[in-house]
Amino acid sequence: MRTKGARGVGRKTEIIVEAFSPVTALIGGAMIGLASALLWLGNGRIAGISGIFGQLLPPANTVTWRLVFLGAMIAGGLGAAFLIPGLGVGGPSGEPVQLVGNPLWIAISGLLVGLGTKIGNGCTSGHGVCGLARFSLRSLIAVIVFFGVATVTVAVTGVV
Amino acid sequence: MKSAVSLPYLAVATLSGTLFGSGLYVSQMIDPLKVLRFLNFGAIPSGGWDPSLAFVIVAAIGVMYIAVRIRNKQNAPLFDFKFHEPVAKQLDAPLVIGATLFGIGWGMSGICPGPAITLIAFMPENLMIFLSALFVGSFAGTYVQDWLTAKEVAA
């Protein structure tokens, strides 16, 4: 129930209540941590997605497990969506997930993510999860830089 | 027998990948808008900031830290001869330049490499554009990295 005059404020509150999801965030995060732990203790590999993806390109010598892992990531998302429908796709409102921006914007973004993670040797998973858990100074610097730059980019471009 | 194509090795890759992909879904990190609303610190004063992503990364680091502690007592992983530790130790220009470019790209779309892959399951419009560009950027990055490293050695 909202009065007409307070519509703007009321709407904003509604978005926050819908958006903040600490429980699923913690559970999902623990699953990502467990996935990284398994790959590290089982196969001695860092679960850094940009690295697993990026080394599919020449020179490639361990293509099989990388393809298996990436395929399983897709299947995992699909399976979880089947078991718990409407959670991750578009949030609790259940709208289909959408990319932000026009095709050119998306292409530039993809190019920068590919280029940057290759040159900087890692992304949110490799530097952010595995690197920080290993107390790697390189990863700490990378995380500070890419988180900082990303927040500035959002502030400047105003996409949300 | 320890090999990168042995059954247990590939079983670990399958289990880990499945958990990773479902974790991205459960945490809602595959939703670019959710990620952008975390990165949008400007919304903190108005109360529109969504801190969920911080909970995801803290939980993930917490669990991974246990594995790091276990690893310190092991000589080798279960199904390979050695731990493939990242070799680079020094803080150099490529690390900072790369992280900067990645930060710009991530802030533009809210998509980092993990969600980009798992989103294939849901095929939102224009995802193929992002993935193609990601592939091209990653490929080009190999040469830029070589060039930056060569420059640094020469300097």
Side-chain angles (χ1 to χ4, degrees), chain A residues 2 7 18 25 59 64 92 99 102 132 152-153 156:
Chain A
R2 316 180 202 110
R7 186 187 284 161
E18 266 190 26
T64 309
L99 269 56
N102 62 38
L132 292 188
V152 170
T153 304
V156 171

Side-chain angles (χ1 to χ4, degrees), chain B residues 5-62:
Chain B
V5 286
S6 72
L7 197 61
Y9 191 98
L10 293 178
V12 168
T14 306
L15 188 61
S16 172
T18 308
L19 260 172
F20 208 111
S22 39
L24 285 172
Y25 172 86
V26 170
S27 64
Q28 300 178 35
M29 284 305 116
I30 58 159
D31 185 351
L33 267 176
K34 180 103 180 155
V35 175
L36 289 172
R37 284 184 186 132
F38 171 79
L39 295 172
N40 187 19
F41 285 14
I44 294 175
S46 68
W49 182 52
D50 181 356
S52 305
L53 177 58
F55 287 65
V56 179
I57 198 137
V58 165
I61 292 171

Side-chain angles (χ1 to χ4, degrees), chain B residues 68-87:
Chain B
V68 172
R69 291 295 296 270
I70 296 172
R71 177 259 178 271
N72 290 341
K73 301 189 187 84
Q74 311 284 323
N75 291 319
L78 288 172
F79 305 117
D80 200 346
F81 294 105
K82 61 165 189 149
F83 286 97
H84 298 265
E85 305 260 10
V87 282

Side-chain angles (χ1 to χ4, degrees), chain A residues 110-137:
Chain A
L111 202 64
L112 288 172
V113 171
L115 198 59
T117 52
K118 186 65 166 195
I119 299 171
N121 276 323
C123 59
T124 333
S125 48
H127 279 314
V129 175
C130 298
L132 292 188
R134 295 171 56 250
F135 290 112
S136 154
L137 183 61

Side-chain angles (χ1 to χ4, degrees), chain A residues 12 16 19-22 24-47 49-50 53-54 57-58 62 64-65 68-70 72-74 76-78 80-81 84-92 97-101 103 105-125 127-130 132-135 137-138 141-142 145-147 149-151 153-154 157 159-160, chain B residues 4-5 9-10 12-28 30-34 36 38-41 46-48 50-53 55-57 59-61 63-65 67-68 70-71 77-80 82-86 88-92 94-96 98-109 111-114 117-122 124-127 129-130 133-142 144-145 148:
Chain A
K12 198 124 210 176
I16 302 158
F20 184 43
S21 51
T24 48
L26 285 172
I27 296 171
M31 290 167 78
I32 294 168
L34 189 60
S36 310
L38 274 172
L39 200 67
W40 186 230
L41 295 176
N43 296 355
R45 289 285 177 179
I46 296 285
I49 309 307
S50 62
F53 173 87
L57 301 159
T62 45
T64 309
W65 80 263
V68 165
F69 184 91
L70 296 172
M73 278 182 73
I74 303 168
L78 205 59
I84 324 163
L87 178 64
V89 186
V97 68
Q98 276 183 349
L99 269 56
V100 175
W105 184 264
I106 290 166
I108 295 170
S109 162
L111 202 64
L112 288 172
V113 171
L115 198 59
T117 52
K118 186 65 166 195
I119 299 171
N121 276 323
C123 59
T124 333
S125 48
H127 279 314
V129 175
C130 298
L132 292 188
R134 295 171 56 250
F135 290 112
L137 183 61
R138 266 174 65 85
I141 299 295
V145 171
F146 71 64
F147 258 108
V149 172
T151 56
T153 304
V154 170
T157 60
V159 285
V160 282
Chain B
V5 286
Y9 191 98
L10 293 178
V12 168
T14 306
L15 188 61
S16 172
T18 308
L19 260 172
F20 208 111
S22 39
L24 285 172
Y25 172 86
V26 170
S27 64
Q28 300 178 35
I30 58 159
D31 185 351
L33 267 176
K34 180 103 180 155
L36 289 172
F38 171 79
L39 295 172
N40 187 19
F41 285 14
S46 68
D50 181 356
S52 305
L53 177 58
F55 287 65
V56 179
I57 198 137
I61 292 171
V63 176
M64 181 61 193
Y65 177 67
V68 172
I70 296 172
R71 177 259 178 271
L78 288 172
F79 305 117
D80 200 346
K82 61 165 189 149
F83 286 97
H84 298 265
E85 305 260 10
K89 293 273 181 269
Q90 77 282 18
L91 304 175
D92 50 14
L95 181 77
V96 177
T100 304
L101 296 177
F102 168 45
I104 298 171
W106 192 32
M108 285 174 72
S109 64
I111 308 172
C112 54
I117 302 295
T118 298
L119 272 175
I120 294 173
F122 306 98
E125 202 184 343
N126 294 333
L127 179 68
I129 296 175
F130 186 91
L134 183 72
F135 195 78
V136 171
S138 189
F139 187 73
T142 312
V144 179
Q145 197 181 30
L148 281 171

